Each structure stands twice: as C-alpha cells, then as structure tokens.
Amino acid sequence: MTPKPFLAAATAPKPSKGVLIKHKSPITMAIDIGGSGLKAMLLDADGKPVSERQRVPTPKIPTPRAVLKGLDKLKKLLPKF
C-alpha cells in the first residue's frame, strides 16, 4: 500500500469562511502549536473531524501576544458553527 502524499499548501482546500455547518454538539477546536506552524481543526462530540486542518506559520518571535494573534488568524480560517 502506497502512502498518500502530503497535501501541499498550494493544493490544500480553501477555507470555508462564514459557512454554517451542523454536527453533533459540542464542537471542539483542536490546536497544535508547533515550532514552524500553528494548526487547528474542528472535532464533533465523538472526536471526528468536521473541518479541514488549517495552518498558519508560527511567529518568528513566538511571544504569547504574537502566538495569540496567529491563533486568531487561524480561527478565522475555520468554518462557523
């Protein structure tokens, strides 16, 4: 079995700004704060993804304020519920 290639940013799905999606509540935003990127996706009550994973670069100087600004940008890429 061949592994699927990593989905490059250029071919990644477009963010679904303002799209209202209905799923089993509660919806949880899972966040990964990494050295090169901040990533997030939404999960339903069963822990199943209900959105695509979104990513923004980690700030070069990752102060708490800079990371929070990055997370705010990331949140805007996720669909609304």
Side-chain angles (χ1 to χ4, degrees):
M1 183 169 144
T2 354
K4 292 183 180 180
F6 179 75
L7 194 57
T11 60
K14 300 285 186 228
S16 47
K17 293 182 186 176
V19 174
L20 185 62
I21 299 176
K22 293 186 180 186
H23 281 279
K24 191 174 178 182
S25 290
I27 300 298
T28 302
M29 180 170 35
I31 299 172
D32 176 5
I33 299 176
S36 64
L38 307 174
K39 287 118 2 216
M41 70 184 319
L42 301 176
L43 306 172
D44 70 9
D46 295 323
K48 295 179 182 168
V50 295
S51 73
E52 296 291 325
R53 181 190 69 116
Q54 299 296 332
R55 182 186 185 282
V56 297
T58 299
K60 291 186 187 226
I61 302 173
T63 63
R65 185 176 301 243
V67 172
L68 287 172
K69 283 184 179 183
L71 292 175
D72 192 43
K73 290 179 189 176
L74 191 57
K75 179 185 167 201
K76 291 175 184 175
L77 296 174
L78 294 168
K80 309 288 183 242
F81 280 84

